[in-house]
Amino acid sequence: MMNPIELKKAVGSGLLSFPVTHFDDQLKFDEAKYRRHVEWLAGYDAAALFAAGGTGEFFSLNPAEIPQVVRAAKVSAGNTPIISGTGYGTSLAIEIAQAAEKAGADGLLLLPPYLMFAEQAGLIAHVKAVCQSVGIGVIVYNRDNAVLTAESIARLAEECPNLIGFKDGVGDVDKVIEITTLLGDRLVYVGGMPTHEVYAQAYFAAGVTTYSSAVFNFVPALAQRFYGALRTGNQATVDEILKSFFFPFVALRNRKKGYAVSIIKAGLRVLGQNPGPVRPPLTDLTQEELALLEKIVQANGLSRIAAE
């Protein structure tokens, strides 16, 4: 396992992704298919992979399944760091965090606590308790009912040496700029908006130069090409991929609630892979929507890029 400083450096070194979690027809974890998928993704030079993250349906996994997923990812990922999801209430988040650490996770992504909105003091206590329960690095996910202020993040960074990262899924770029300006290089900053590629240019300007890519699951070469164009200032390529792939993809994703996850598994089906269905309460794409996604993937040779 990496120490927190090593993980921080790794996370900031390139594009990130979070593999879908494979299920069989009975909605049980399909470890063999998951391991093959993680091994395939690791071959595309992801800086780190988030096992049992949001796109990995963390919210539908029970606590005993999460270390299973982490162990499977670690076996298959080679030298690619594995960051496990954790979350819910503080006690359960600590239990999951410690189980993930024992299973070999290099770090943790702390997702928002279940259901309740809370004051900053409560959120600080929650994040601090999870950080202090483990020795591995922790990235806090800023979104929904767990939105931290710059002052709260600064306090946590001072009190929790293993807090190594801040992932934003809110989209208030002015707040992100405040945090990156105040904290500087104390943390690594990760973009975490749904289909973050459509937000990436604004976040790059705010000092967030890496992000987690969901489409990396099924078009990893395209995802890396887009990321490379962003990093090198190749605006023509950025615009081309946004127009030909990401804009129509997002329009289809936005048809129904929960499709930010469902459409990624559908993308794998388009390529002839079978990640299994999403677990309830999510729903899979319809056949008509699957056909539309296939057209998007096939446009401009993207199916060929995906296969390579």
Side-chain angles (χ1 to χ4, degrees), residues 50 59 103 121 148 181 234:
F50 293 89
F59 45 84
L148 291 153
T181 301
N234 185 345

Side-chain angles (χ1 to χ4, degrees), residues 11 50 83 108-110 137-141 163-167:
V11 169
F50 293 89
I83 300 171
L108 298 167
L109 176 66
L110 178 55
V138 177
I139 299 170
V140 64
Y141 199 173
L163 180 66
I164 59 117
F166 172 84
K167 182 177 180 181

Side-chain angles (χ1 to χ4, degrees), residues 2-308:
M2 289 184 167
N3 65 46
I5 300 302
E6 292 170 334
L7 181 64
K8 175 187 169 186
K9 182 178 179 180
V11 169
S13 69
L15 185 61
L16 312 167
S17 188
F18 31 114
V20 299
T21 301
H22 292 56
F23 302 126
D24 63 20
D25 292 341
Q26 304 303 311
L27 296 178
K28 294 181 179 179
F29 176 46
D30 192 327
E31 182 172 342
K33 287 183 179 178
Y34 179 75
R35 286 177 58 175
R36 286 196 296 271
H37 182 59
V38 171
E39 183 178 1
W40 181 60
L41 294 183
Y44 283 89
D45 296 325
L49 295 173
F50 293 89
T55 299
E57 297 181 68
F58 169 83
F59 45 84
S60 77
L61 298 171
N62 67 54
E65 289 176 311
I66 294 168
Q68 285 183 271
V69 173
V70 170
R71 278 191 291 268
K74 284 293 292 182
V75 168
S76 307
N79 294 324
T80 304
I82 295 297
I83 300 171
S84 171
T86 188
Y88 304 115
T90 305
S91 178
L92 185 52
I94 288 172
E95 180 182 315
I96 294 169
Q98 292 175 337
E101 181 179 33
K102 188 175 180 180
D106 296 284
L108 298 167
L109 176 66
L110 178 55
L111 284 85
Y114 171 72
L115 188 62
M116 298 301 297
F117 285 83
E119 296 296 328
Q120 290 295 299
L123 293 174
I124 289 170
H126 174 70
V127 176
K128 185 176 178 179
V130 175
C131 286
Q132 292 181 340
S133 74
V134 294
I136 54 179
V138 177
I139 299 170
V140 64
Y141 199 173
N142 195 63
R143 65 176 296 173
D144 297 326
N145 60 328
V147 178
L148 291 153
T149 65
E151 291 76 15
S152 296
I153 291 291
R155 178 176 166 184
L156 285 165
E158 182 177 345
E159 297 180 3
C160 304
N162 63 329
L163 180 66
I164 59 117
F166 172 84
K167 182 177 180 181
D168 185 71
V170 176
D172 290 338
V173 177
D174 57 332
K175 300 296 185 184
V176 174
I177 292 172
E178 183 181 0
I179 290 168
T180 58
T181 301
L182 181 63
L183 275 295
D185 62 2
R186 169 61 183 84
L187 301 176
V188 62
Y189 305 100
V190 180
M193 296 292 289
T195 316
H196 189 85
E197 283 87 350
V198 299
Y199 302 91
Q201 293 181 88
Y203 272 77
F204 266 49
V208 181
T209 55
T210 189
Y211 56 87
S212 50
S213 171
V215 303
F216 193 98
N217 271 280
F218 66 100
V219 283
L222 175 72
Q224 287 286 21
R225 181 177 168 227
F226 182 83
Y227 179 73
L230 275 172
R231 292 295 295 259
T232 58
N234 185 345
Q235 193 63 46
T237 298
V238 168
D239 291 347
E240 170 206 338
I241 298 174
L242 284 172
K243 288 186 287 187
S244 67
F245 182 82
F246 284 110
F247 291 158
F249 176 86
V250 168
L252 181 56
R253 183 205 71 192
N254 287 344
R255 281 191 170 197
K256 293 177 185 172
K257 294 178 180 179
Y259 268 15
V261 175
S262 304
I263 198 170
I264 304 303
K265 281 194 166 179
L268 283 167
R269 290 190 199 96
V270 164
L271 298 184
Q273 300 183 39
N274 181 19
V278 293
R279 280 178 172 174
L282 297 183
T283 56
D284 287 301
L285 272 65
T286 66
Q287 287 301 312
E288 180 258 339
E289 290 164 341
L290 198 63
L292 290 174
L293 179 60
E294 186 169 9
K295 289 180 180 179
I296 295 169
V297 171
Q298 290 176 343
N300 302 311
L302 294 184
S303 58
R304 176 183 60 80
I305 293 172
E308 291 174 356

